[in-house]
Amino acid sequence: MKLKKDLSGYQRICRLDTQKPLRILYVVGTSLKANLDRSAPPSSKFFSVKCTANVQYSISPVPLETSSLTPIPLTESSALLISMDTASEHENDKISLDVDADRDGVVEKNNPKKGSWKWGPDGHGAILLVNCDSEKTYWKKPDNKDTSISRVSDLKDMSVMVLRTKGPAKLPEGYKLTMHISQGDAESVRVFRSRSADVLNTQKLYNVFVKDFPLVLSSEVLSKEVPYLGGVAEMNFHVEGLRFPDKDFDGLISINLSLLEPISAGVPETPIFTDKVVFRVAPWIMTPNTLRPVEVFVCSTSDNYQFLKGMRNLVMMSGYKLNICHEYENRGDRWMQDELEIGYIDSPHQRFPVVLDSPRDGDLADFPYDKLLGPDFGYVTRVVLDEQVSSLDSFGNLEVSPPVTVNGKKYPLGRIIIGVAFPTATKGRNMTKVVQDFLWAQKVQEPIALFSDWLCVGHVDEFMTFVPAPDRKGFRLLLASPDAAYKLFRGLQQSGQGKATLFDGLAKAKQKTVDEILNDKNLQEENNYVQSCIDWNRDVLKRELGLEDEDIIDLPILFKLVKEDDEHRAVAYYPDMVNMIVLGKNLGIPKPFGPKVNGRCALETKMCSLMEGLGLSCTFIDDFASYHELLGEVHCGSNVRREPFEFKWWNLEM
């Protein structure tokens, strides 16, 4: 039989003052001999010896003092002979804390890279989801707010961690295994232990009970002894993420397992072996217009029948699900896009949608929590404490591009787009810092800041959107363009259509002819200013998204300036066609009520000619009275949940 050679494990039998293991010279049966002088670092002067119960030793030359921890002078001739009553039953005894470090959905054995985290397709490191859905449908709250497991199904949202042991039936007296986390990580993670032998198989989840999963580590318990099962055994743990990456949290979490050795009464145990695993918390990810829709959300109000009728027809034609928030729930707040943004979180073992609740908190404030939060539908928000919430904190001011490559750098999940005040402005409205910090901290969709404070409402969706395309980069950027509108109207005038009227058929709107529009010098000056603001953003988008002019389509849209809080800001002159809903190849566009030529709206005709070349179908929805006159349009009044990206965020090259 062989004597165990690895003295750094849980049967370590000798310690030098430098804590380095001995170099074994030779093995005889169940004995070994070590030359201490050759094994010790050059600076070592003394050594001491402590053995477990079934280990005996002798020292040559024999020291004057023989108590177990008395320092013994180290000389060139110092030697240690060690013997055991019986050898280890296993040649490769070990303790290992294991995770899914190779990201294939299976907890492999003792991956050598489990203690670190690396991005990319050749990267490594385990992944942790924020457990922000709710297994309960009544009296619910996000599961990460509950310090216990409320439903066994909740385990699917957690990452499995396995303690594997291969060794003696029990540890020597006084030795123990301890799992521990740092104070810094404690606010971000919880660990539960499984008392059942096998809950890795999700088909067996319903054969166990929540009481079988006691809490091990939390913000209140940073260290806890865990059972040693003995022999060849596995013990399963379930790791729960509690918060998303943010300004004060980079998303990395370490969990440690240590074997502690008793020293003497009144002296704390010392670790003689520690294993570490590292997790990264999955980021919240937005979905662009180019991804497949799943369901559409709109509000029903006492005055939006025409809008709702158009949306029903569009969604039904497109083959998706329509969810209507009724007036008793929305209390007249129709701005579904402004209240929330639906993204998702992903890992090798689980993914689900997560709604980000905006800080605007209008009468729709309860909808994301009360109606969306549930099993496999998560919820997150950011509370604004020391800042003033403005219109720019509504999520019509939060968009995301399709995937792009910029100067050789790939953004396979696209880039987040937000609107702020002009960079050199001494005053103006901005998206609150707490929301911006959250978006930046997710890392995988690096944000772009555009200038949107020139608009009365101040949202980026008032002058830009993305639609799918069959060529080039797979999409087109659509930009509102007063220049394109004036070009269209001048063409109508030159063809003898100067008397054609805008807003025809709208009882409450004052009709304007094409001639009147072109003769209004103040309106022209206002739109020159608007065009300069859009052009500034155009340059930013071309640079930050790697676009060329051929990737951009200008839509004929006019604006006008209105006075608000002693500031003149822009609103759409007629329904803003860029503020559309994109459902695959079907576009739901605000009906512009432009001048009619041969019985057809010239603005609609132009829009269709631009979009149909991309294989897209245009449906015009009447939102004039119920949205446009309230400074919003179709996109402002709707929201879409989309399929996640096929690309896995952890494969990003950082």
Side-chain angles (χ1 to χ4, degrees), residues 357-464:
D357 191 357
S358 82
R360 75 182 278 268
D361 287 345
D363 287 330
L364 263 176
D366 296 335
F367 179 80
Y369 194 98
D370 290 349
K371 297 300 179 181
L372 298 184
L373 172 64
D376 292 336
F377 206 127
Y379 173 91
V380 62
T381 190
R382 282 297 174 265
V383 178
V384 179
L385 297 176
D386 302 322
E387 302 176 79
Q388 183 176 356
V389 175
S390 73
S391 174
L392 272 67
D393 290 297
S394 298
F395 286 166
N397 197 33
L398 174 63
E399 297 297 321
V400 65
S401 79
V404 292
T405 299
V406 186
N407 296 324
K409 182 176 181 180
K410 294 181 179 180
Y411 297 90
L413 300 175
R415 298 188 67 178
I416 287 172
I417 297 171
I418 61 172
V420 297
F422 194 76
T424 60
T426 57
K427 63 177 181 177
R429 301 166 300 172
N430 275 296
M431 180 178 283
T432 50
K433 188 173 183 297
V434 67
V435 175
Q436 290 196 52
D437 287 344
F438 173 82
L439 297 174
W440 275 97
Q442 307 314 303
K443 289 189 176 181
V444 297
Q445 296 174 307
E446 183 181 334
I448 301 167
L450 299 181
F451 170 39
S452 67
D453 192 35
W454 57 273
L455 287 152
C456 183
V457 176
H459 296 176
V460 293
D461 71 348
E462 296 177 77
F463 65 89
M464 61 158 291

Side-chain angles (χ1 to χ4, degrees), residues 99-104 106-108 111 113-114 116 123-126:
V99 292
D100 179 19
D102 60 4
R103 306 165 184 166
D104 65 353
V106 179
V107 179
E108 65 273 15
N111 189 315
K113 298 179 180 179
K114 64 187 178 183
S116 61
H124 58 265

Side-chain angles (χ1 to χ4, degrees), residues 76-112:
E76 291 183 1
S77 60
S78 295
L80 179 65
L81 178 65
I82 304 169
S83 62
M84 300 178 67
D85 294 339
T86 59
S88 300
E89 295 179 3
H90 305 283
E91 185 174 348
N92 297 306
D93 288 357
K94 67 179 181 180
I95 298 175
S96 177
L97 189 61
D98 293 332
V99 292
D100 179 19
D102 60 4
R103 306 165 184 166
D104 65 353
V106 179
V107 179
E108 65 273 15
K109 293 184 178 180
N110 205 22
N111 189 315

Side-chain angles (χ1 to χ4, degrees), residues 154-167:
D154 197 22
L155 298 175
K156 300 195 299 295
D157 303 333
M158 302 183 191
S159 295
V160 175
M161 181 171 64
V162 181
L163 169 57
R164 292 185 169 106
T165 57
K166 182 180 180 183

Side-chain angles (χ1 to χ4, degrees), residues 97-99 126-129 131 143-144 146-149 154-155 157-163 178-182 185-195 199 210-227 235-243 253-257 275-279 281:
L97 189 61
D98 293 332
V99 292
I127 293 166
L128 189 62
L129 296 178
N131 191 16
D143 292 329
N144 59 340
D146 195 339
T147 56
S148 61
I149 294 176
D154 197 22
L155 298 175
D157 303 333
M158 302 183 191
S159 295
V160 175
M161 181 171 64
V162 181
L163 169 57
T178 300
M179 189 173 289
H180 50 102
I181 53 177
S182 69
D185 287 344
E187 300 297 325
S188 306
V189 67
R190 288 194 199 99
V191 179
F192 298 89
R193 176 171 65 87
S194 172
R195 290 194 178 110
V199 294
V210 293
K211 64 181 178 58
D212 293 320
F213 303 95
L215 181 64
V216 178
L217 299 177
S218 68
S219 60
E220 305 297 325
V221 182
L222 304 183
S223 176
K224 193 164 187 176
E225 182 178 358
V226 296
M235 182 182 300
N236 298 323
F237 294 84
H238 299 271
V239 186
E240 177 184 35
L242 302 183
R243 62 172 180 150
I253 293 170
S254 297
I255 300 176
N256 304 278
L257 179 78
D275 208 4
K276 181 179 81 169
V277 297
V278 173
F279 292 89
V281 175

Side-chain angles (χ1 to χ4, degrees), residues 573-588:
Y573 189 83
Y574 46 78
D576 186 356
M577 294 184 291
V578 78
N579 193 272
M580 64 179 70
I581 184 172
V582 180
L583 300 179
K585 294 185 176 182
N586 296 320
L587 309 179

